[in-house]
Amino acid sequence: MARARLKVIASVALLAMTLPLIAACGGAGPTPTPEKVVVKETVPVKETVVVQITPTPGPKRGGTLIVGLMSPVLSLDPADYRDRQTETVIRNMFDGLVTRTKDNQVVLEMAQSATLIDPQTWEFKLKEGMTFHNGDPVTAEDVKFTFDRIITEGAIEYPEPHTAARKGLIAPLESVEVVDPLTVRFHLKAPWPVFMQMLCHQQIIPKKYFESVGGTKGFIEKPVGAGPFKFVEGKLDDQIVLERYENYYGGADDLPPVGPAFADRVIFKIIPERSSRVAALQAGEVNIIQGVPSYIVPQLLSDPRLQVKTCAGTRPHFMEVNVKQKPFDDVRVRQALNYGVNVDLILAKILSGYGVRLPGILSPFNNFADPNLKPYPFDVEKAKALLKEAGYENGFSFVIDVSADNKELAEAIAGELRTNLGLDVSVRVWDWAVLRPKLLAGERQATVGSWGDSAFDPVGYLEAKVHTYVEGSTYGRGNYSGYSNPRVDELIKAGEVETDVAKRHEIYNEIQRIVWEEAPMVFLFVPQEIEAAAANVQNWSPSPDSRINLHDVWLSQ
């Protein structure tokens, strides 16, 4: 059995090198306040992790871990959300068939084994003896029920009938078949090399309990999972309180220690304002915080009561320009913007160097990033020459429309373009819910934002950002430049079903070269994830996908 399981894990790890994942996006009432940003000095870019390590005692049970989250939790339904803070809370209550390590490897969690029967069929055998928080055993019927509810159109009946938000993360799944009480088979519509990475984002719920509480409404009021912590009480926009599930099966064998969680209780406390999160940590009111601003890191590191950790981020940032409007319909103008922005300087100024530059559309950490592709160099003379060649030697005016959380970055870019190229650039802030439809309709000139690729795979990312926009589909859902290239569209779809890793590299290298050359955006950087904790928090570290897994974390005192 052990040998078989290792064989599977090896194949899973191999697949993890080929697979993808998702993203989300940010948002802002018109408030035009263009503010000139002039960077006066060069600050060296840091690429190393800054860590203050506290001596580690042995694991200790007890205590309450309090985590300061950046935003409210959207739902306690594992099938119906698309948000990283929500995922952090849910995945401490619910487990899945597989999970992901902090270095992005897929390992078995509730599954004892996983076997690829044929290119379109996966078989999973569940571990024996697992139970949900109400004591019911975990069975293959629960797995089938979980995924039927996700992939069936209109299956979520509350608050009104709709399709599960998580369906888009596993769209090629056609059906789930129960083979025996502990065995299920997943049937895909077509080969899908990213299946195992995407499966990490789906957690199992109990069919019998769900039906006994009358469906979705009753379930989300008092959710029951099979994860390390069980729900006690809470409000989505305030705090969620969990307590240790003593009969927990232990989690992934490849993520020791295996067994019940160490903390008695976990409280996820919503603290949207970042300075308030930092103050709460310094005051000892919380144990862990997300989204630490880079400028505050030196102050936290100087405090012996605290620790700061970072990891590679998964949200590439860029400025997209409307390629269907003048002057951005001219590729020379778009390339000039890339040459004319000193990205290293912006990275140093805004993130204190906690990030790396984008060599193109993909993050350099993506498993399919072309190593031969380099970032546009900062070259003002070349940028001016391109503008002159395009007929814009006297410059032009444009507006960058952004959500509030991207205002600082947009103003830094505007300042660079004003100073370096003499362009008349202003920044306007919107509510994201108002701005996004206007961007997709091609009614804005430029925007600054990011898109997540937490699986380090092009799937879930490229089809969103550079595929032609197709209303009502996942294709082009985050394409705010209006970019459209039939060859890129063709390659994106080819990469989604190609199982040969070498061929996938060829496909994605061609896409990256085309997009780099056609430059529908100014390629900026990938920020690092920065989190902080009290010095007595042990066995904790941030994850690239922003998830905080508290199963193995303990308090030393």
Side-chain angles (χ1 to χ4, degrees):
M1 176 69 78
R3 181 181 302 172
R5 189 175 65 76
L6 287 173
K7 180 180 179 182
V8 171
I9 291 173
S11 73
V12 170
L14 178 61
L15 277 169
M17 298 299 292
T18 75
L19 319 184
L21 180 61
I22 307 316
C25 41
T31 318
T33 29
E35 184 178 321
K36 190 169 184 178
V37 175
V38 179
V39 181
K40 299 180 179 177
E41 58 184 3
T42 300
V43 180
V45 176
K46 301 173 185 175
E47 296 186 1
T48 55
V49 175
V50 178
V51 180
Q52 181 172 319
I53 301 175
T54 300
T56 305
K60 179 183 176 184
R61 282 171 63 99
T64 298
L65 281 166
I66 305 177
V67 179
L69 294 181
M70 295 189 292
S71 59
V73 177
L74 302 183
S75 173
L76 294 180
D77 184 348
D80 205 22
Y81 70 97
R82 292 291 290 268
D83 167 74
R84 291 189 175 187
Q85 310 337 309
T86 303
E87 185 166 7
T88 276
V89 175
I90 283 180
R91 290 180 66 177
N92 278 283
M93 290 192 288
F94 299 86
D95 277 1
L97 296 175
V98 298
T99 189
R100 187 183 295 118
T101 65
K102 289 186 172 61
D103 59 354
N104 201 38
Q105 299 302 305
V106 177
V107 295
L108 303 176
E109 193 169 49
M110 298 178 80
Q112 181 67 43
S113 67
T115 305
L116 186 61
I117 302 296
D118 61 52
Q120 294 177 226
T121 308
W122 279 91
E123 181 177 278
F124 294 88
K125 290 188 177 298
L126 298 173
K127 292 176 179 175
E128 296 182 359
M130 295 185 297
T131 59
F132 291 106
H133 300 155
N134 65 345
D136 288 346
V138 178
T139 69
E141 288 289 349
D142 297 307
V143 177
K144 175 176 171 52
F145 176 75
T146 296
F147 285 92
D148 283 350
R149 186 167 172 265
I150 293 169
I151 66 175
T152 303
E153 292 290 331
I156 309 297
E157 81 289 2
Y158 178 82
E160 65 276 331
H162 62 282
T163 302
R166 304 301 268 182
K167 180 176 182 178
L169 300 179
I170 200 160
L173 177 62
E174 189 167 54
S175 64
V176 178
E177 171 193 2
V178 173
V179 177
D180 63 42
L182 292 178
T183 307
V184 290
R185 285 185 179 174
F186 286 66
H187 300 283
L188 306 174
K189 298 172 185 172
W192 198 39
V194 298
F195 174 69
M196 293 296 277
Q197 278 280 10
M198 300 304 273
L199 195 59
C200 295
H201 296 275
Q202 308 291 356
Q203 282 65 51
I204 307 303
I205 65 172
K207 176 176 184 290
K208 182 179 174 183
Y209 174 79
F210 183 92
E211 293 173 341
S212 73
V213 296
T216 301
K217 182 175 186 299
F219 185 77
I220 61 178
E221 288 174 351
K222 196 168 183 179
V224 164
F229 297 97
K230 59 183 182 181
F231 178 78
V232 176
E233 61 182 3
K235 289 180 59 178
L236 300 182
D237 60 353
D238 183 18
Q239 65 175 26
I240 304 294
V241 180
L242 312 179
E243 67 181 17
R244 180 177 54 239
Y245 178 47
E246 295 291 357
N247 295 324
Y248 182 54
Y249 69 95
D253 294 339
D254 289 276
L255 293 174
V258 175
F262 296 108
D264 292 337
R265 280 201 163 203
V266 166
I267 299 175
F268 291 100
K269 196 173 184 61
I270 315 304
I271 311 177
E273 173 56 43
R274 57 187 183 182
S275 60
S276 298
R277 288 196 303 277
V278 171
L281 178 67
Q282 292 173 314
E285 296 168 358
V286 300
N287 303 101
I288 301 171
I289 59 171
Q290 301 178 304
V292 175
S294 58
Y295 64 83
I296 205 76
V297 170
Q299 179 183 340
L300 298 183
L301 285 172
S302 68
D303 188 336
R305 304 170 304 156
L306 305 177
Q307 54 182 319
V308 178
K309 294 184 179 181
T310 68
C311 68
T314 57
R315 294 200 72 85
H317 283 55
F318 18 69
M319 179 177 78
E320 292 170 87
V321 294
N322 190 335
V323 302
K324 294 180 178 178
Q325 289 186 10
K326 290 185 179 300
F328 305 121
D329 59 345
D330 191 318
V331 66
R332 293 168 294 187
V333 172
R334 305 196 298 266
Q335 292 174 340
L337 298 187
N338 273 283
Y339 285 115
V341 174
N342 189 340
V343 178
D344 285 333
L345 201 54
I346 292 177
L347 182 55
K349 193 72 177 177
I350 291 183
L351 294 179
S352 304
Y354 287 101
V356 296
R357 287 197 60 183
L358 286 178
I361 181 63
L362 290 184
S363 160
F365 304 121
N366 192 292
N367 290 326
F368 290 88
D370 182 350
N372 298 314
L373 209 58
K374 305 300 178 189
Y376 274 82
F378 176 51
D379 189 336
V380 173
E381 293 309 312
K382 185 160 188 172
K384 289 181 176 178
L386 284 165
L387 290 178
K388 182 177 182 180
E389 187 179 324
Y392 293 102
E393 64 268 33
N394 295 321
F396 54 85
S397 301
F398 73 100
V399 178
I400 307 173
D401 291 301
V402 295
S403 58
D405 54 337
N406 289 309
K407 177 174 179 284
E408 182 184 18
L409 176 56
E411 289 182 338
I413 295 169
E416 278 283 299
L417 293 173
R418 284 194 294 263
T419 301
N420 301 331
L421 303 183
L423 304 184
D424 177 19
V425 188
S426 58
V427 175
R428 188 165 50 191
V429 177
W430 297 72
D431 179 85
W432 179 247
V434 176
L435 176 58
R436 183 173 181 268
K438 294 182 181 298
L439 292 170
L440 289 174
E443 297 174 358
R444 302 292 100 190
Q445 293 177 291
T447 190
V448 170
S450 64
W451 199 267
D453 72 336
S454 56
F456 300 94
D457 189 281
V459 176
Y461 178 83
L462 286 183
E463 87 278 4
K465 296 307 300 179
V466 292
H467 190 284
T468 302
Y469 176 57
V470 180
E471 188 173 2
S473 80
T474 58
Y475 293 105
R477 65 188 184 279
N479 182 347
Y480 306 133
S481 67
Y483 177 71
S484 178
N485 182 317
R487 177 58 178 165
V488 170
D489 292 352
E490 176 187 0
L491 290 166
I492 286 173
K493 291 190 174 179
E496 290 174 342
V497 297
E498 178 57 65
T499 57
D500 185 286
V501 175
K503 290 181 179 177
R504 290 192 85 210
H505 275 289
E506 291 177 9
I507 289 169
Y508 291 126
N509 284 352
E510 183 176 349
I511 293 175
Q512 290 170 81
R513 288 194 294 272
I514 293 173
V515 175
W516 189 95
E517 184 68 29
E518 297 189 337
M521 58 187 68
V522 176
F523 307 108
L524 297 174
F525 49 75
V526 186
Q528 291 183 7
E529 297 288 337
I530 308 176
E531 296 181 1
N536 66 336
V537 176
Q538 305 296 324
N539 202 32
W540 155 82
S541 60
S543 295
D545 61 4
S546 309
R547 177 190 172 205
I548 301 176
N549 180 4
L550 297 172
H551 169 222
D552 300 332
V553 178
W554 72 86
L555 296 168
S556 60
Q557 53 185 322

